[in-house]
Amino acid sequence: MLILASKSPRRKELLKQIGIPFVVVVSDAEEVSGNSWTPAALVVENAKRKAHAVAEKYPDSPVLGADTVVSSEGKIFGKPKDKDEARKMLTALSGKMHEVTTGLALINRNEIRTTNVTTKVFFDTMTKADIDAYIATDEPMDKAGAYAIQGKAARFIEKIEGSYSNVVGLPLNALIQLGKGLNLFPLAVSRR
């Protein structure tokens, strides 16, 4: 059974959606951050750190680590520390295209496979009142870039180019491709 090295409720929901059996073991790995990394390198590094920290304790089980960031105009946005930081992030994203990048690291015994996926997201212009009202919902507080595409922020999304599940936090097709040949993610077929 897959071990998900993440406490993200969105990643859990996405795995359930496609029928992958899993358990959660939250990683205590220290993450790297900062604009000295490219978004793709940053998320893959953090995904590997999370997966390795859990795989050390469960060496006989496949372990999945994941990390997601939002980037715009050379800046990387993780999860906001407080409402003021959420307001700054949303103001920076308003009316622009930004990218959401998720890194995956899958460790199966001694083999590690990694990948990353980037999706372009186009935000409508948000007024100060829009931003304040959205922040008041508390939805932005544990999300990279301070928004949830699958939540109330959907009203501000003009369009996306790429994987929707990536923007939620787990690019499902990329995960399945990463596990190809390992027989970790078979499609369960129920028979009547």
Side-chain angles (χ1 to χ4, degrees):
M1 179 178 297
L2 179 70
I3 296 176
L4 175 62
S6 172
K7 64 181 178 183
S8 166
R10 291 155 301 281
R11 291 188 181 121
K12 291 189 279 190
E13 285 302 314
L14 287 166
L15 286 175
K16 286 178 188 174
Q17 176 184 323
I18 62 170
I20 294 178
F22 69 96
V23 295
V24 172
V25 177
V26 178
S27 175
D28 59 359
E30 186 174 330
E31 295 183 37
V32 295
S33 63
N35 288 313
S36 62
W37 293 79
T38 65
L42 178 69
V43 294
V44 168
E45 177 64 23
N46 282 332
K48 288 193 306 190
R49 286 173 177 238
K50 293 173 186 179
H52 276 299
V54 172
E56 287 176 2
K57 299 171 190 164
Y58 301 91
D60 295 326
S61 297
V63 177
L64 174 65
D67 191 52
T68 302
V69 296
V70 168
S71 59
S72 177
E73 299 177 339
K75 293 183 183 172
I76 295 176
F77 301 97
K79 297 174 184 176
K81 294 181 190 105
D82 54 34
K83 290 184 178 189
D84 286 335
E85 190 173 34
R87 187 172 290 103
K88 288 176 187 171
M89 287 182 186
L90 291 167
T91 300
L93 299 177
S94 175
K96 298 178 187 160
M97 183 279 292
H98 64 272
E99 295 182 330
V100 178
T101 304
T102 300
L104 300 177
L106 180 63
I107 298 177
N108 189 40
R109 306 211 188 280
N110 293 325
E111 181 180 358
I112 182 164
R113 296 179 177 188
T114 63
T115 194
N116 66 83
V117 174
T118 298
T119 302
K120 291 181 179 181
V121 179
F122 296 79
F123 254 43
D124 194 0
T125 300
M126 301 170 73
T127 65
K128 182 182 181 313
D130 290 334
I131 292 171
D132 289 343
Y134 182 56
I135 290 171
T137 69
D138 283 332
E139 187 177 87
M141 297 319 299
D142 67 338
K143 318 289 188 304
Y147 75 93
I149 193 170
Q150 74 282 10
K152 294 171 180 65
R155 68 189 301 148
F156 304 115
I157 309 297
E158 288 181 7
K159 67 178 180 176
I160 69 168
E161 293 176 4
S163 168
Y164 173 81
S165 65
N166 177 53
V167 183
V168 179
L170 189 63
L172 295 175
N173 183 261
L175 172 60
I176 298 304
Q177 298 306 313
L178 201 61
K180 281 234 167 129
L182 298 177
N183 199 29
L184 294 177
F185 312 127
L187 183 61
V189 179
S190 62
R191 299 178 192 256
R192 292 184 184 208

